[in-house]
Amino acid sequence: MTQLQSLRGMVDLLPEQTRCWQAVESVARDHFRRAGLQEIRTPLLEVTELFARGIGEATDVVGKEMYTFVDRGDRSCTLRPEGTASVVRAALQHGLLSQGPQRLWYGGPMFRYERPQAGRQRQFYQIGVEYLGVGSPRSDAEVIALAWALLVDLGVQGLVLEINSLGTLQDRQKYREELVAWLEARSDQLDDDSRKRLYTNPLRILDSKNPAISELLQDAPTLFEALSVESKARFEEVQVDLEALQIPFQLNPRLVRGLDYYGHTAFEITSDQLGAQATVCGGGRYDGLVEQLGGAPTPAFGWAFGMERLMLLLEAAASINPNGSAARLTASTRPDLYVVNRGEQAERVALVIAHQLRAAGLVVELDSSGAAFNKQFKRAGRSRATWALVIGDDEAERGEARLKYLQEATTQANPIPIDQLHRLDDVTGLVRLVRE
Ligand code: HAM
């Protein structure tokens, strides 16, 4: 029988990786808690119309990348390609916005049918933040700062924050006309992709990865020049606030993002260590989306980062700096104690002791192989446990166990009374007991 495999672009997280992910998630949770955010969880499956209306028909995400199917009730359903539209839908459906501004975060799998490569999967995991009902330029800086502080705290290095303003809908319409006219005059120099986008989503041409197109666009009119006085002033304020927060940034007039709901501030955090998929975090302001999805006009700002890309960055940071916070997050855990045991009576005693010590808070690995002592000691070494607790039938008979420090090449193993073990609540207690 052939061995079944996971689908292309859908990746297993093995225990060691899962542990690193949990460490990152817990740092993120802590940042969100301190910023007063609340977690929201929405379904993976939504009606297709939510994304078509929310993200925009002309985007690659909606046009080419969605996992869409008709369910048994004849409804068109889509596996969520991102979280923002779902969060806004949920906030509207449950009347959250009538309770004042909502500061929300979420984490979970997203689905896009893209060509898989390093840092790009078909099922990937995002952690995101959405501030709904908050419209000041200051809030743009506040929410960007949240992403920046989290990434810095995780120990990720070589980050660059790029920002741009996409202005208002009118600003963009005006610019779109100018850009299309400019590109039409040079249509012979466009590639197929850009030619296709010329009338569907011309602003995305600015984001082209084709070096010839980037070169051509050097002289194109920029969106910044087309911004109204008010939009420019708003963007200035965001920049002043970022400077006050001492967050370094670069202006990128070509940054347009791949989803249609953005206006005013848009940003991306990139790293040169990620190769072609350089963006680890992206987001911006989306004041029109709530209305677009049937609610009252409501300002909003948010971002999401991709966990897979973040993990690539953490691995790189850990290998550059083995004592940094990224290395601590990616280091594997060691058990406090490895219980080496052999013999009929000893094995039952060991089972009970391991159970009691775990209840008291120690991380305990019980050898259940019944193998020879020297084999069990080898395994204890491989487990990187700090201590071994050794129980043979002789010890069990005497109501004793022997404690051996594994981090030094010592042969000494001190006897301790078994009936005292369950009163310990940490390794220090165990050590104290041995020394008494
Ligand atoms: P996005 O730029 O499409 O924005 O995705 C955000 C991040 O998700 C990317 O920067 C990247 O790290 C990760 N990502 C996207 N696609 C993939 C993929 N195929 N494989 C691996 N990672 C991927 C959004 O999704 C917006 N909802 C962000 C947002 C929230 N804007 C406002 N609020």
Side-chain angles (χ1 to χ4, degrees):
M1 231 195 296
T2 49
Q3 176 66 55
L4 297 177
Q5 305 276 324
S6 62
L7 287 166
R8 198 162 122 77
M10 311 243 168
V11 176
D12 296 308
L13 276 187
L14 301 180
E16 189 63 11
Q17 293 159 307
T18 306
R19 209 190 37 68
C20 299
W21 279 50
Q22 286 172 342
V24 170
E25 283 161 15
S26 94
V27 175
R29 270 172 203 279
D30 194 46
H31 276 249
F32 298 153
R33 182 184 57 76
R34 283 183 276 140
L37 270 64
Q38 308 217 68
E39 184 179 359
I40 184 163
R41 301 186 187 193
T42 63
L44 301 196
L45 207 56
E46 298 270 7
V47 292
T48 304
E49 192 190 343
L50 172 65
F51 304 116
R53 257 212 269 163
I55 300 173
E57 304 268 8
T59 60
D60 282 354
V61 171
V62 172
K64 303 191 208 158
E65 295 169 0
M66 293 205 301
Y67 278 88
T68 296
F69 64 94
V70 176
D71 76 1
R72 287 167 201 272
D74 253 354
R75 283 168 291 249
S76 178
C77 305
T78 294
L79 280 170
R80 62 181 185 190
E82 58 108 49
T84 312
S86 304
V87 168
V88 170
R89 194 250 331 118
L92 286 173
Q93 184 172 336
H94 303 286
L96 297 185
L97 295 172
S98 60
Q99 299 164 26
Q102 297 291 310
R103 297 177 166 82
L104 305 168
W105 77 271
Y106 54 88
M110 309 290 161
F111 303 83
R112 295 185 194 174
Y113 197 85
E114 296 191 81
R115 201 152 47 79
Q117 53 178 255
R120 191 162 77 192
Q121 296 175 186
R122 289 180 175 169
Q123 177 178 327
F124 58 100
Y125 197 100
Q126 276 186 351
I127 290 187
V129 160
E130 313 293 354
Y131 273 41
L132 307 177
V134 185
S136 66
R138 199 161 43 129
S139 60
D140 300 21
E142 182 195 351
V143 187
I144 294 175
L146 196 60
W148 185 260
L150 173 58
L151 293 171
V152 168
D153 198 18
L154 287 168
V156 181
Q157 291 167 357
L159 295 176
V160 176
L161 166 64
E162 295 182 14
I163 60 171
N164 190 19
S165 174
L166 307 180
T168 61
L169 196 59
Q170 289 83 335
D171 295 337
R172 286 193 297 286
Q173 268 159 0
K174 182 172 144 225
Y175 175 63
R176 190 184 153 121
E177 282 164 25
E178 283 174 28
L179 181 68
V180 169
W182 191 89
L183 290 167
E184 272 175 338
R186 293 156 183 83
S187 65
D188 54 325
Q189 297 175 58
L190 296 181
D191 59 7
D192 286 350
D193 206 33
S194 307
R195 225 170 273 137
K196 255 186 245 151
R197 284 184 163 146
L198 192 53
Y199 303 105
T200 54
N201 204 352
L203 266 57
R204 284 295 283 167
I205 301 176
L206 299 175
D207 231 13
S208 171
K209 302 281 178 286
N210 180 345
I213 301 293
S214 306
E215 176 79 32
L216 173 70
L217 289 167
Q218 293 290 338
D219 304 322
T222 67
L223 178 52
F224 190 70
E225 290 152 5
L227 292 185
S228 65
V229 176
E230 295 77 24
S231 297
K232 276 188 183 150
R234 189 186 188 287
F235 191 41
E236 271 298 319
E237 278 196 59
V238 176
Q239 294 174 53
V240 171
D241 287 333
L242 285 173
E243 276 159 14
L245 289 163
Q246 298 191 322
I247 296 179
F249 60 86
Q250 292 176 7
L251 296 178
N252 178 356
R254 303 254 198 93
L255 193 159
V256 287
R257 311 268 307 127
L259 313 161
D260 272 359
Y261 47 62
Y262 295 107
H264 290 300
T265 312
F267 77 97
E268 289 187 349
I269 301 177
T270 59
S271 165
D272 54 7
Q273 292 175 32
L274 279 174
Q277 305 307 316
T279 308
V280 62
C281 179
R285 182 153 285 288
Y286 53 96
D287 291 350
L289 183 61
V290 176
E291 206 177 351
Q292 184 87 17
L293 295 177
T298 307
F301 194 100
W303 51 254
F305 67 77
M307 273 294 269
E308 290 80 5
R309 293 187 195 173
L310 178 59
M311 294 319 289
L312 291 173
L313 289 177
L314 284 177
E315 280 159 25
S319 65
I320 295 166
N321 180 3
N323 297 317
S325 48
R328 277 199 298 282
L329 285 171
T330 50
S332 57
T333 41
R334 355 170 116 200
D336 298 316
L337 202 68
Y338 190 96
V339 183
V340 171
N341 58 108
R342 186 169 153 87
E344 204 180 321
Q345 207 191 336
E347 282 168 21
R348 178 148 309 112
V349 170
L351 174 70
V352 174
I353 288 180
H355 181 72
Q356 287 170 335
L357 289 174
R358 285 172 187 156
L362 294 192
V363 180
V364 179
E365 202 167 317
L366 174 66
D367 194 309
S368 47
S369 66
F373 275 117
N374 62 349
K375 282 209 173 136
Q376 292 196 37
F377 272 114
K378 272 202 189 117
R379 285 206 199 100
R382 275 203 298 273
S383 79
R384 302 169 63 242
T386 318
W387 297 91
L389 194 68
V390 190
I391 311 169
D393 273 345
D394 288 352
E395 284 88 0
E397 193 80 31
R398 286 200 298 274
E400 271 178 13
R402 282 180 303 125
L403 192 65
K404 189 168 178 317
Y405 188 54
L406 291 172
Q407 301 300 310
E408 278 167 17
T410 161
T411 51
Q412 198 188 349
N414 299 309
I416 50 171
I418 284 172
D419 67 352
Q420 287 190 23
L421 282 176
H422 67 279
R423 284 191 238 118
L424 307 170
D425 54 9
D426 57 30
V427 186
T428 334
L430 196 59
V431 175
R432 206 179 307 127
L433 184 81
V434 175
R435 292 199 176 128
E436 269 171 10

